[in-house]
Each structure stands twice: as C-alpha cells, then as structure tokens.
Amino acid sequence: MRCSPVQHEVLCSELIPKFGVFLFQSSCEKDVILNILSVLTDLLSLGTGRRIHYVISKGGSEALLQALAAAARTEPPDHSTLLPLLRLLARVGQRDRKFGLKVQKAEATDIILSLARRNLGHHLHLIHCLWVLRVCASNVTTGTTLGVNGAMELLFKVITPYSKRHVRTVRAAVEALAALLKSKSNSRRAVNRGYLGGLLRLYQDWHHNDVSNNYIYIRRGLLLCLKHITNIHLGRETFLGSRGMEILFTSIQDCLFCKNLDPIITTVTQILRKCYPKEPLPVATVRSSYSFPLPGNAKAEPPCEGSEGDYESDGEDEVEKDPDNENVESKEEDYDLETDVNKLRSRPVLDRPEEELGQYEGMCPELSHHFQELEPESEEEKSLEDRTESLLSTPSYFIPSATSVKRPNYRWRNQSVSEVGPDPGETDLKVPQQSWTKKEKCRWDPIDGKRDVVEAAQDADSCEGADPARSHVLTLRPLPEEAAWYKKMFYPEHETSINPSPGERLQSSDTVTNLLEKHQGDIPFHSPPFYMARAKCVKSIPDYKDMAFPDFWGHHPPPYSKPMLERKYGVQRNKVLDDVRRLIQPGDVIGRTVFDLDEPSHSSPGAPGCLTFFSKFESGNLRKAIQVRQFEYDLIMNADVNSSQHHQWFYFEVRDMKLAVPYRFNIINCEKFNSQFNYGMQLVMYSVKEALQGRPRWLRAGHDICYYKNHYYCNAAAGGGMRGKCYYTLAFSIKFPHKDDVCYLAYHYPYTYSAMMSHLDVLEQNRNPKKVYWRQQTLCQTLGGNPCPLLTITAMPDSKKRDDLEQFCSRPYVFLVARVHPGESNASWVMKGTLEFLVSSDPIADLLRKCFIFKIVPMLNPDGVINGSHRCSLSGDDLNRQWLTPSSQLHPTIYHTKGLLYYLRSIGRAPLVFCDYHGHSQRKNVFLYGCSIKETLWQAGCIVDTAVITEDVGYRTLPKILDKVAPAFVMNSCSFLVEKSRESTARVVVWKEMGVLRSYTMESTYCGCSHGLYKGLQLGTQELEEMGSKFCLGLLILHLKSLPCSKKVMAQAALLLDLEEEITDRAQRSCSSSSLETDDEPPCAEEIDYNTDSCSDDEGNFSELDQEIQECLSWVEGETEDEGLTTRQTCSSKALRGLYISSQPAPNSTALPLRSTALGVYSGFESSPA
C-alpha cells in the first residue's frame, strides 16, 4: 500500500488511532492485517519518532503484542504476517518505556523465545526474533525473566567465532545478549557458567580476523557484553583472572590511530578503567594532615558514610550517586524544592536573646559620628602621614612564629573588660566587643584612619617580641637556584665575586633590599612591605615559616584574555590507557615519594632529574607527591582541617624543572563528579623568573587536561569509618617556560588572607578621606585567632549642616560578604573589584557612596583560607550551612555577621541588598541565586493562589540590570528557587529571618563565559574585578529605579549613566552573539563516561536498530537485485559507517543451517552445571 506524504499524515493523525490499532484485536482476515501492517510500516518508517509515540499513546504496543500472540498460535506459523509484525514491535518497543512490563503482562516472553528457538535454522526469521528479544531485554526485570527462561543459552548457540556467513544474525544475537547482561542476575549466571572467558576468546577471534574492520558492530557488541558483566564484583574478579586487562589492552594498541574504531576504543577504555584493581589512596589516613582542638566539648563532625562502592556491592538496582555534588543541577532537584508556604514566608525571629544585640551598636559608628574631621587638617594628622610613609618604606624581615600570639580566650563572652582586658590581637577596635552596650558608644578619632595603618604595621612588628621562645623567621621561598642567572639579576656589578648559597640568599637584608628595589611598584593596590607586615601575624595550624613568592611580589593581569582550551580528541582515553599501562607494564614505574606533608622524612627530594615540591605556605595545599615515571607525578591534596573530604583546592610550588619537557601531573583524590576542566578550563601558573623579568602574573596554563574517575577508593581504616568513597583524577601536562625556574601551580588565582588584609591597608592609605568615609573594625576573632575585618564605606557628608548629616544617616544599607568557602578565590577577586571601585574617585562611585552605606565582610572564613582548605572552617563545618543556628564558639564569623544583621533590622535599617560572593565549579558565566515563593512553588508544580500569595518581584530587578551592564553576567543562568537543602545558607536565612527581599548569592565561574562579550574566553582577575565594579554600578541603577532620590542625585545620575550606557552599548555591539544563553555545556569531542559502572552506552541508540531494520527490509524487498553482491563489495562500500552485510543465500535456499560450532560445541561456551 503506497501513500503520498500528505496521505501519510492523514492516516497517522486520523485513521490509525481510530481504527488501525484496534483492528488487530478484532479482525481475522489476513489481507486486512497485512494491509494495516503495511500502512503502519510505511508511516513509522518516515518522519521522526513523534508518530511512534502517538501510536504508543493509543495502545499500539498492547495491540501489536496481542496480534503477535494470535499469529504465533497458528500452525504452521505465517511468516508473511510475523515478520512485519516483529519489525513493528522492534521499532515501537524501543521507544516505549513500559514495553518490558507490557510484554510480561501479555505473557509474550515465552512466545518470543519459542519463535526464536523454532527459527534457529532460518536466519532471516531468527534475526527478527532477536531484534524483539533485544528490545524486551532492555528492561532489567524482563531481561531477568528471559534469562531465567534460557535466553542466554539460546543466544550463545547463535554467536559463532569469526565467519563471513550470517553476520547479520551474529550481530543481532550479540546485541541482544548485551541487553540481557544489563541484568546483574544474568551477569552472575553468565559468569557462573563460564561464559565470560568464552566472550573474551570470541572477541580475540573477531578482532584478530577482522583486519578490514568490516564487523565493528559485532566486536563492539562483544565488548558491551563484557562491560555489563563486569558491572558486578564477581564479573570483575573473573575478568582479571582470565587476563582480560592484558587481552583488551593489547588488542587496541593498533586501533588508536583509526577514528572509525572509536566505538571499540571507548568501550575498551571504560572496561579497563572499571576493572583496574581498586586501591586505597597511598596515605595513612584520608583525614586532613592538620587538626585543630575545638573549644569546650565540641568535636569535629564525624565523616559521612559514603555510598558503597562499585567494588563491593552487587545490588540489582545499584546506581552510583555523588555524595558531595553540591552544585550540580538535575531533574531530581525539583524534589528538593520547599513547598511548605509557611516555611517560605518571612519569619523575623531571633536566634539569641534580644539584649545581646546591643553589642553591635559599636559596629555602626557612622550612625553616631559627629564628623569633627571636616575641620581643617591638623598638624598631628600631617605628621602621622609622614610617619606612615616612613614606616611602610622600611621592610621587615624577621617574623615570629604564628603560635607566638595568644590564642583567643573562649571565655571572653561572659567576662567584663576589667577581668580580661583588651585582646592584644584587636588592633583596630578600641572598645572590646564584650563591653558594647547601648549606653557605651564607640567614639571615632579624627585621625583614626591613618593611625590604623601605622598601628597595623607596628603591631605586625611587635608580634616578634610577644613570645621570644616561640618566634621564628618568616622568609620568602628561595629564588631559582641557577647561580649565574641569580648573579646577573641582582649583582650585575659583582658577577664574578659573589656566589650566594641558595639556602641563605633571603636571610641577607641586602638581598631582600635588592629584591624590593627591583619591584617596579606598578601593580595597583599591592605593596610587598604591607604584605610582609600582615603575613607576620597570621596564625596558622602548620605554623608557616615561608611566604609564597607570588603573594609577596604580586600579580599583574595579562593584557589579553585566554580562550578556553580546546579539548584534544582522545585525550581522556590516552590518559586512562597510560594509567592501565602501569598495571600491565610496570617496568618504567618509579613509585618514589618526593614530597610528604605527613612524613617529611619519607620524602626524597633533590633526586637527579626529579622535581621538588613545597606547599607549607599560606593557602598552600599539596599533601603528597609521588614520582610515577621520569616526567609524571601523582599528587594528593590535603583534606579540609578536621575533615576527610572537600578535596578541590590546590596551590603548591615546584622547582628544578627542565626546559620544554611536558611534565604530566595527576591529582588523584578529586571528589566532584564532573569539572569545568573537561570543558575548557585551565589551572593557573606563576613563574618567578618571569616575574623578576617584569612579567609578574598568574597565567592560565596546561594542556591535555581531562577529569575522570580513577581506581582509588577510601577504605574504612584510612577514612576513619567512612568507606565506599570513590575518587577522580585531574590530569594535565605543562611545559615550564624556563629551566630550573620556581613555579607555582594553583586551581584558580590565589588570594590569601594576608593579601586581603594588606589590600585593605593600601586602600585605606590611598583613599580620599575628605570624600570617602572608611571604617575598618574587627568583627570578631576567628576560631584560629585571626581577626575578621568589617568595613563600613560611604560618602562623607557635604558639610556639618543638619540636612547633610540627616541625609548621611538615612542612607540605606547594602551588606556584602565573601569567601565563606576558602577555595572560591574568585569570590575574593570580585570583592577586590568592588572595594577598589567603592573607594575610587570615579564619579559613579562618588554618587554610589552618597546613596548607600556599605557594610562589608570581605572574608568570612579567614582560617580556611589561611590553612589551604576548600570548603570548611577549622571546626570542619561548611560555614554556609550554619546560618540557621550558628555557634558563637565554633562559627564566630557567621554568628556575629548574623548578629549585626539582626541589629540593623532591630533599628529599622535592614539592608536593601544582601549579597554573598561565591565561586561555581561546574557552570560558566556569573549569575545570581535569589529567593522567590511563587517561582519555587511553580517549579515544584504546586497550584499558586495569587490572591492569597502575593510577592514583590523586585528581587528580579538587580539581575536584569546586571545582565545589561556586566559583560560576564547572564540573567538566564539565574535561579530564584528555595531548596530544602539550602535553608541554612546565608541567602535563604537573610531572606526569611531579616526580611531582605533582595538577598542573593553571586556565583562566579572558575572557567569562562558561554555568551556575550567574553564568549569562549576564560575569566581572569581583570574580568572578575570588573564584575565587582559592575555590581556596584548595578546597585546605583537599582537605587534610582527603586528608591526616591533628590533632584541633585537624579541629575548627576542621568549625566553619568547616559555616558556609561553609551560605553556599554558600544561594547555590546562589538559582540555579535545572542543574548540568549545556550546549553550550559556542549558535548565534548569524546564521550566522557565518569560513572563507568552505569549501563549508559550507545547500544540503545534508536537509529542503529532502525537502520538495521530498514536495511533488512530493503534487502528482502530487493533480494533479486542484491543476489550478486559480494561480501567484500558490500563491506567496503559501507565500512566507514561500520556496516557489514553477509553474503546472500542461494536463490533456492529457504533454510540456512548454522555450523556445528554455533550449537554450543565451541569450547568457549562449555558451561558448568546449573
């Protein structure tokens, strides 16, 4: 029956759903059934799968199964009806998600098996049965039933060693077997009956003989069988015992350079990685090398029980889950949405006695300031300025141990000033926190600003004498050890007479002076003397005695942006195969520990040709380095303090490298399920030689970068009770720019606590005190005894007139915080841009200061940053999950930040905007998370009564503004959903408890942008700082849109913003990309299979089976034309697509008996008794 395309559509939309499907159930006329089957075949062979889904929705699968049962009962079977019926079942069934259940309900499994057994001697009929068998087996439950009823034994009778005859039948049988083996019960049965070894021998036979690569699908089908069998522990053990690793590894060595064989290589790689024997990490314990005694009876959080690893569990429904996949969005997150309206509504309640809020009055000195400093500058202030310049120009070299400063007294909260006295660490806040009451206001000294700068440096120097017994010298890390280079750089006039010892170079004041004199001072807002002064007083657990050169010397952004790294095809599998080679060919494996934070005596640095590693400096993180081969190293990161997890941040020094040699580094204990390193992100590198030659900058570096699951796991002994955790490898290669250089490698651009503190000193020194109101106080002492700064920034009043002072005090607040997660250094760079813009002389900044009072906590987790953690504080807690009920002892920065917010709300000054700066490791661009009741309920599928639930949509205004003014910002990436798992984050708590409508988390990518001006580029520090300044611009526009303004402010804003809009429009026009965001991640050039134990592969691809069916149909219809076509001609014409067609039967042949080896005589299938 032939129809035009128009008639096809009519039949599909009208005839089939109304009549065609149901005729199977009622008609007994063969001609009618054949006509319906012909119409359905024509209809479903054209167009997309939409037609098939339409037939399914009208009960098509059930009707076809009933027709099959009826046709199978006829004797003898009518194959003219059965064959088109089986083809339709295969087409429809693979797209029907419930097809397996429908097959069982119709009791059709036995019918299909019976038809297959009866047609063992006729390959054309058998192929059709095998197609349906494959589709049925794709459902695990149905596949298990088929396995119990002997389906595997049947298939093993059909699969033969290499032969050019009946390859269509062999292919169909192999693919049906692969589908059956997705059931772990079937896999166990196959292993117990000795089929795994037979499959390996079959694969070897087909691989060895298929020299023209005509039968790729058969070889891949056999590999898929092995892949599914090795999903169970018994299968992996048997595979290893059968030398499966060596067989597969050897078999693909000659395939690596043929792209047509990628399906083979990819599947082999997945099997090898999965079956690589599991090993614990080569560390004594996965818990952090650093521990910190917590105050009182508090204990660090016990490690979470990990999911049972694939190496132990054989559960039927085993599915791997990522236990710490904080940032990955999936369909399952809809179940995490909060749907209780009462919990979503604002509930302004206190988590502490109200009388405690009085202590925070001292943190708002701007509300009680008399501005005496508006009088002419005094002589004392002038002399202080001279002292400041004099002091800061003289570097200090000797710094005491970090432990020489007293630890914070945890009883201070219950004691008076007279009992404990002022804390020596509190250099900025003159009134101790515990004495703040509503009656005792914190006075402001007219020359406090400059005195604080001087005192900061003086206090840093005074640390040296606090405890002489515990003092130490904080030195800069040694420079490159190449003597000739060193003399030329620093002693050009004495090149022949001076030969300094590398270990003593920086102990000499002359050397350091020469080093500082060489510093060009052209890095904005950075001063090495300021940094050294601040670094002296940092209190760290490892008691740092060294400073990293990049943090001391500074970073100057490069004049260009680096494009995202194009992923080289096949890089991941090549890395995995290199790892497997260690197991199979261990001859070149060195296995020497060259750096060990836990056991320094076990390290063997300085070996000939070996790199030297170091990480015991502020924010450093490298626990262990193992030399694997001459130019390859396995690296292990340290866990967060008092924790056994959160391995992501790394920052370490490497030296003694050779020039132009690609060194491979494998960081083997990563935890995230996926990473932007697979999508164009590079790590960053800093070269000391480059810096001293005038190019001091962190640069994106590394090639052949990939991120994949490895064979390491966390055992119970090393994990302190936690087991089953799997790890991932970040592999990258680097060619260092100089021989014997000193280079630093980091996950992202480092930004240390000392860098932040010295940056604040420089900002305070360089601000215009007549225009910028700046107040730096200490919010609290951290758990580790480091001060957490609190900033207040706004504009000085125009005069002391009452109207100007009232305008000053009535300005709305904006509250900004950052770096609650230490590894999110990008958040600090964004905050740096915000701070520099706020104190700048830019007219927009001046206007912004007149509109708002900014309260800023630039680093909420100083201890974590200092000690190189990624996510937690010294208590082992994620501080951004403590906002509901923070502990004053364990989480002081969160406790007091929340207390200050409570205080502002209690006096009617809740901030207009609250924003928490973060970094995002798995998405591109910059975007905001906000809070909305309606959007959360809509997303969860709840019915929203708009008459009852009302909501101000003003939370969307700021993101929309930023989408227009900030090149890196993407509105389409923003989300305003409230999840249950985020109820204790800053964003949600401030929204609920403080009633702040515009409460946000701002996420900045570690990688780059997928749209706009920076599309295809990785973000550098310059772009991150720009985002911080553009956020300020967005706040100004928000103020103009949302709040009443004076005519003067409006006039100034109109003039400035017109100019800004013109600049922005010009920049936007230079970029032709669409404003609509594309998919977050385009597909990689190669398959990235992180979860090697899943059943996800391409054998379920609809197009493959459809193509087989269509080719078979064409072959049957045009049999006479194709009779003379030889196997060689057929295969060669279709080899590029991996197709193969067997030689055709003789015209008079109706049944094609299979060779004896197909009936179980083949030694590979000698089964043991069931």
Side-chain angles (χ1 to χ4, degrees):
M1 184 176 183
R2 301 299 179 192
C3 305
S4 67
V6 175
Q7 289 172 319
H8 284 167
E9 294 295 334
V10 173
L11 285 172
C12 186
S13 60
E14 297 181 7
L15 177 62
I16 300 306
K18 292 181 179 179
F19 307 105
V21 171
F22 302 103
L23 287 177
F24 284 114
Q25 303 173 19
S26 58
S27 176
C28 296
E29 293 293 330
K30 178 179 177 179
D31 291 342
V32 176
I33 292 178
L34 288 176
N35 283 336
I36 294 175
L37 290 172
S38 178
V39 171
L40 282 174
T41 299
D42 284 348
L43 289 173
L44 302 185
S45 298
L46 301 173
T48 64
R50 186 168 56 90
R51 294 180 180 179
I52 295 179
H53 288 295
Y54 189 67
V55 170
I56 293 170
S57 68
K58 298 300 181 181
S61 299
E62 294 88 337
L64 290 171
L65 287 169
Q66 290 182 22
L68 175 66
R73 285 195 295 266
T74 62
E75 288 292 343
D78 185 357
H79 289 98
S80 64
T81 302
L82 276 174
L83 294 186
L85 188 58
L86 290 169
R87 285 196 295 269
L88 281 171
L89 274 170
R91 282 187 184 276
V92 173
Q94 64 179 327
R95 290 175 172 83
D96 188 346
R97 294 182 179 179
K98 297 182 179 180
F99 187 72
L101 298 176
K102 294 174 182 178
V103 168
Q104 287 186 300
K105 187 175 180 181
E107 299 180 347
T109 53
D110 290 338
I111 296 173
I112 297 167
L113 284 175
S114 176
L115 286 172
R117 290 189 179 102
R118 293 169 64 177
N119 287 284
L120 280 175
H122 198 297
H123 82 285
L124 179 60
H125 302 165
L126 180 59
I127 288 174
H128 285 70
C129 297
L130 294 177
W131 286 338
V132 178
L133 182 64
R134 169 187 170 183
V135 173
C136 294
S138 61
N139 176 275
V140 173
T141 304
T142 309
T144 302
T145 303
L146 288 168
V148 170
N149 293 335
M152 282 196 300
E153 290 75 7
L154 170 67
L155 294 174
F156 280 126
K157 291 179 180 180
V158 179
I159 302 171
T160 68
Y162 176 79
S163 171
K164 293 183 179 181
R165 291 173 57 81
H166 318 313
V167 289
R168 286 180 181 273
T169 309
V170 175
R171 174 186 177 180
V174 168
E175 290 174 342
L177 180 61
L180 278 171
L181 290 172
K182 288 182 178 180
S183 161
K184 290 186 172 64
S185 296
N186 289 339
S187 292
R188 291 191 196 93
R189 188 175 294 108
V191 174
N192 291 332
R193 299 190 178 187
Y195 292 150
L196 191 148
L199 285 169
L200 277 172
R201 286 187 287 273
L202 270 175
Y203 172 74
Q204 281 182 288
D205 184 55
W206 279 91
H207 179 81
H208 176 73
N209 290 288
D210 184 22
V211 291
S212 299
N213 297 324
N214 291 326
Y215 309 124
I216 294 175
Y217 279 128
I218 291 180
R219 291 156 62 186
R220 180 169 176 263
L222 292 168
L223 288 172
L224 288 173
C225 293
L226 292 170
K227 177 181 177 181
H228 296 322
I229 287 180
T230 52
N231 278 342
I232 63 173
H233 182 56
L234 178 62
R236 289 190 292 276
E237 282 188 340
T238 307
F239 178 82
L240 291 171
S242 303
R243 298 184 65 253
M245 296 287 285
E246 292 88 340
I247 291 171
L248 295 191
F249 181 80
T250 305
S251 72
I252 63 167
Q253 296 308 306
D254 56 351
C255 302
L256 296 176
F257 303 103
C258 180
K259 195 165 185 179
N260 292 332
L261 297 178
D262 277 352
I264 303 290
I265 301 169
T266 299
T267 310
V268 168
T269 303
Q270 293 169 356
I271 296 171
L272 292 176
R273 186 173 61 191
K274 177 172 52 177
C275 294
Y276 198 116
K278 303 299 178 184
E279 298 178 28
L281 278 175
V283 291
T285 172
V286 296
R287 290 192 69 78
S288 176
S289 300
Y290 303 148
S291 62
F292 183 80
L294 300 181
N297 297 321
K299 295 183 180 180
E301 287 293 323
C304 301
E305 281 292 329
S307 59
E308 290 299 318
D310 63 298
Y311 53 91
E312 292 183 1
S313 175
D314 289 343
E316 186 65 39
D317 299 321
E318 177 190 352
V319 178
E320 181 189 21
K321 294 183 180 179
D322 181 15
D324 187 36
N325 199 9
E326 296 276 352
N327 296 320
V328 175
E329 294 184 355
S330 67
K331 296 178 182 178
E332 295 180 358
E333 75 176 6
D334 286 354
Y335 297 104
D336 188 35
L337 296 176
E338 181 59 75
T339 56
D340 186 335
V341 177
N342 292 326
K343 291 183 179 179
L344 286 171
R345 293 184 187 278
S346 176
R347 47 183 182 87
V349 295
L350 285 173
D351 64 356
R352 65 197 76 191
E354 187 174 358
E355 54 269 19
E356 285 190 14
L357 299 184
Q359 64 177 312
Y360 300 104
E361 184 179 3
M363 294 187 185
C364 299
E366 66 278 359
L367 298 181
S368 56
H369 200 334
H370 299 297
F371 294 99
Q372 299 298 326
E373 72 277 11
L374 291 178
E375 300 297 331
E377 189 180 50
S378 65
E379 290 300 321
E380 181 184 4
E381 185 174 0
K382 290 181 180 179
S383 64
L384 183 60
E385 182 174 1
D386 295 337
R387 288 167 51 207
T388 303
E389 295 174 355
S390 173
L391 177 64
L392 293 175
S393 63
T394 307
S396 302
Y397 314 116
F398 295 95
I399 304 176
S401 164
T403 57
S404 64
V405 181
K406 294 181 181 179
R407 295 289 180 185
N409 188 329
Y410 293 105
R411 297 174 297 168
W412 67 267
R413 294 173 181 81
N414 300 318
Q415 293 175 329
S416 65
V417 184
S418 60
E419 289 174 322
V420 297
D423 190 327
E426 301 250 350
T427 59
D428 298 322
L429 193 58
K430 300 300 182 283
V431 182
Q433 294 170 1
Q434 64 270 27
S435 68
W436 291 342
T437 63
K438 291 183 179 180
K439 295 181 180 179
E440 295 175 297
K441 296 183 179 179
C442 184
R443 289 190 174 183
W444 191 87
D445 193 326
I447 55 174
D448 241 1
K450 293 184 178 176
R451 177 175 292 133
D452 285 346
V453 179
V454 177
E455 289 177 353
Q458 288 177 335
D459 288 338
D461 290 332
S462 69
C463 292
E464 186 173 339
D467 189 351
R470 300 172 62 189
S471 65
H472 70 275
V473 178
L474 182 68
T475 61
L476 196 62
R477 291 291 298 155
L479 296 180
E481 296 182 2
E482 188 181 350
W485 178 89
Y486 179 84
K487 287 185 290 185
K488 183 178 179 181
M489 182 65 64
F490 292 103
Y491 300 95
E493 68 278 13
H494 303 293
E495 255 184 78
T496 58
S497 61
I498 296 181
N499 187 20
S501 171
E504 298 176 354
R505 290 172 191 157
L506 291 175
Q507 309 244 345
S508 164
S509 60
D510 290 339
T511 303
V512 177
T513 301
N514 287 335
L515 188 64
L516 291 174
E517 286 178 355
K518 185 167 181 59
H519 194 278
Q520 298 177 2
D522 60 348
I523 300 178
F525 302 101
H526 179 76
S527 165
F530 271 61
Y531 187 90
M532 291 187 71
R534 283 296 184 178
K536 289 180 180 181
C537 285
V538 167
K539 303 173 191 176
S540 64
I541 294 176
D543 192 17
Y544 296 132
K545 295 179 174 62
D546 295 88
M547 274 191 302
F549 186 89
D551 305 319
F552 164 78
W553 196 254
H555 158 73
H556 200 291
Y560 55 87
S561 296
K562 189 81 177 285
M564 281 185 269
L565 185 68
E566 185 176 352
R567 186 183 179 93
K568 187 186 296 184
Y569 188 82
V571 62
Q572 175 177 298
R573 71 186 183 205
N574 292 339
K575 302 279 189 184
V576 172
L577 292 175
D578 278 345
D579 293 344
V580 175
R581 188 174 287 109
R582 297 189 200 180
L583 178 71
I584 297 174
Q585 302 171 358
D588 63 341
V589 175
I590 299 173
R592 176 173 54 208
T593 299
V594 295
F595 176 77
D596 194 335
L597 200 61
D598 301 310
E599 298 288 343
S601 60
H602 294 177
S603 305
S604 56
C610 176
L611 295 177
T612 302
F613 296 85
F614 189 79
S615 66
K616 288 189 69 173
F617 48 78
E618 190 174 344
S619 292
N621 189 316
L622 177 65
R623 182 173 189 167
K624 194 171 186 177
I626 302 169
Q627 186 178 18
V628 179
R629 299 184 180 96
Q630 184 180 5
F631 301 115
E632 181 178 357
Y633 295 82
D634 280 353
L635 308 178
I636 299 176
M637 296 178 287
N638 194 19
D640 286 5
V641 178
N642 283 342
S643 170
S644 59
Q645 51 189 336
H646 306 302
H647 306 93
Q648 183 167 319
W649 171 258
F650 60 87
Y651 179 21
F652 58 88
E653 174 195 284
V654 59
R655 60 176 66 221
D656 300 328
M657 65 283 293
K658 295 182 179 180
L659 180 65
V661 172
Y663 287 88
R664 174 178 168 179
F665 299 95
N666 310 302
I667 299 179
I668 61 175
N669 63 331
C670 302
E671 293 176 331
K672 293 287 186 181
F673 187 69
N674 199 347
S675 171
Q676 282 292 314
F677 282 114
N678 274 327
Y679 299 98
M681 176 178 163
Q682 294 173 282
L683 64 153
V684 294
M685 180 179 72
Y686 190 104
S687 164
V688 172
K689 281 192 175 183
E690 287 288 305
L692 294 177
Q693 291 173 9
R695 296 177 293 276
R697 55 185 60 127
W698 286 99
L699 293 174
R700 297 279 187 172
H703 60 276
D704 291 349
I705 300 176
C706 59
Y707 186 94
Y708 56 90
K709 186 179 178 182
N710 60 38
H711 63 282
Y712 291 105
Y713 72 97
C714 177
N715 61 18
M722 181 178 69
R723 61 195 191 100
K725 182 179 185 177
C726 58
Y727 292 105
Y728 296 80
T729 291
L730 166 62
F732 58 91
S733 297
I734 281 188
K735 289 184 179 180
F736 294 103
H738 300 280
K739 177 185 176 183
D740 294 328
D741 196 358
V742 177
C743 291
Y744 292 80
L745 303 179
Y747 180 83
H748 195 66
Y749 303 96
Y751 195 92
T752 65
Y753 171 76
S754 296
M756 183 265 296
M757 294 297 286
S758 61
H759 182 239
L760 297 183
D761 293 339
V762 174
L763 286 178
E764 184 169 8
Q765 186 187 43
N766 286 276
R767 70 187 171 96
N768 183 347
K770 294 182 179 179
K771 288 191 173 183
V772 181
Y773 177 94
W774 169 285
R775 178 65 172 170
Q776 181 177 336
Q777 300 169 278
T778 299
L779 175 72
C780 63
Q781 293 283 332
T782 67
L783 200 56
N786 295 289
C788 178
L790 169 68
L791 306 176
T792 305
I793 302 174
T794 188
M796 296 290 285
D798 292 336
S799 70
K800 296 175 64 176
K801 294 180 180 178
R802 181 174 180 177
D803 291 346
D804 290 334
L805 294 179
E806 284 183 357
Q807 190 277 337
F808 175 90
C809 292
S810 62
R811 293 170 187 167
Y813 278 92
V814 170
F815 208 113
L816 307 178
V817 299
R819 206 68 182 279
V820 69
H821 294 146
E824 295 171 4
S825 60
N826 41 2
S828 282
W829 288 101
V830 176
M831 177 59 76
K832 181 175 184 286
T834 294
L835 292 173
E836 289 176 5
F837 183 80
L838 284 177
V839 300
S840 71
S841 59
D842 189 293
I844 293 180
D846 184 57
L847 185 59
L848 181 65
R849 291 191 296 265
K850 292 178 181 178
C851 293
F852 292 111
I853 299 174
F854 288 86
K855 287 288 183 185
I856 302 175
V857 184
M859 191 172 283
L860 276 171
N861 193 349
D863 293 337
V865 173
I866 290 167
N867 293 289
S869 295
H870 171 66
R871 197 169 184 87
C872 298
S873 67
L874 296 190
S875 65
D877 296 322
D878 179 347
L879 292 182
N880 202 36
R881 296 297 185 273
Q882 309 302 324
W883 279 79
L884 271 179
T885 54
S887 164
S888 60
Q889 286 193 322
L890 297 180
H891 322 119
T893 60
I894 305 301
Y895 182 85
H896 290 293
T897 302
K898 188 178 181 182
L900 179 56
L901 284 162
Y902 271 142
Y903 173 74
L904 291 174
R905 194 204 65 193
S906 71
I907 62 173
R909 303 296 298 275
L912 177 72
V913 174
F914 172 88
C915 191
D916 184 9
Y917 290 13
H918 280 255
H920 206 294
S921 66
Q922 296 191 35
R923 295 183 67 183
K924 290 183 170 64
N925 309 309
V926 182
F927 51 93
L928 289 179
Y929 288 132
C931 301
S932 165
I933 297 178
K934 286 186 176 180
E935 292 195 35
T936 302
L937 295 176
W938 284 331
Q939 181 66 31
C942 299
I943 298 175
V944 179
D945 187 346
T946 55
V948 176
I949 302 176
T950 59
E951 186 173 45
D952 185 346
V953 296
Y955 63 87
R956 279 185 163 268
T957 306
L958 182 59
K960 289 180 178 178
I961 294 171
L962 293 175
D963 190 52
K964 294 182 179 297
V965 302
F969 192 89
V970 176
M971 177 66 184
N972 288 345
S973 293
C974 297
S975 172
F976 305 95
L977 307 179
V978 181
E979 302 95 339
K980 297 173 185 176
S981 60
R982 305 294 192 272
E983 66 176 357
S984 56
T985 61
R987 164 179 61 99
V988 178
V989 170
V990 172
W991 174 67
K992 282 185 184 179
E993 298 188 14
M994 317 299 169
V996 177
L997 175 69
R998 300 173 182 86
S999 179
Y1000 303 108
T1001 298
M1002 181 160 65
E1003 299 278 3
S1004 300
T1005 180
Y1006 287 101
C1007 183
C1009 291
S1010 61
H1011 97 301
L1013 194 61
Y1014 300 141
K1015 181 178 181 179
L1017 300 177
Q1018 298 181 77
L1019 293 188
T1021 58
Q1022 188 169 341
E1023 290 76 27
L1024 292 169
E1025 291 182 48
E1026 179 193 55
M1027 184 64 232
S1029 64
K1030 293 298 183 182
F1031 184 80
C1032 295
L1033 175 61
L1035 290 173
L1036 177 60
I1037 299 174
L1038 174 69
H1039 184 281
L1040 300 174
K1041 286 177 173 288
S1042 307
L1043 299 175
C1045 301
S1046 66
K1047 293 182 179 179
K1048 181 179 179 181
V1049 169
M1050 290 298 293
Q1052 286 181 288
L1055 179 62
L1056 293 173
L1057 294 180
D1058 282 346
L1059 178 61
E1060 182 71 23
E1061 184 176 1
E1062 180 182 346
I1063 295 172
T1064 302
D1065 286 346
R1066 188 159 56 249
Q1068 295 293 343
R1069 284 195 299 270
S1070 68
C1071 178
S1072 60
S1073 65
S1074 169
S1075 61
L1076 295 177
E1077 184 189 16
T1078 57
D1079 291 340
D1080 190 49
E1081 297 301 353
C1084 273
E1086 65 175 319
E1087 178 184 3
I1088 300 176
D1089 181 22
Y1090 304 101
N1091 181 7
T1092 57
D1093 307 322
S1094 70
C1095 294
S1096 61
D1097 45 53
D1098 290 337
E1099 83 258 31
N1101 191 303
F1102 296 156
S1103 61
E1104 286 185 15
L1105 184 54
D1106 287 342
Q1107 190 174 5
E1108 283 185 72
I1109 296 171
Q1110 192 62 40
E1111 286 175 359
C1112 183
L1113 185 61
S1114 301
W1115 171 56
V1116 171
E1117 291 178 349
E1119 186 169 354
T1120 55
E1121 288 89 357
D1122 291 342
E1123 284 176 4
L1125 192 63
T1126 66
T1127 302
R1128 181 188 60 79
Q1129 291 169 328
T1130 303
C1131 292
S1132 62
S1133 65
K1134 299 183 178 180
L1136 290 178
R1137 292 183 291 159
L1139 300 176
Y1140 39 85
I1141 300 176
S1142 67
S1143 57
Q1144 304 307 322
N1148 298 328
S1149 175
T1150 56
L1152 301 177
L1154 301 178
R1155 294 166 55 186
S1156 59
T1157 52
L1159 302 177
V1161 180
Y1162 176 53
S1163 60
F1165 301 130
E1166 291 178 358
S1167 60
S1168 56

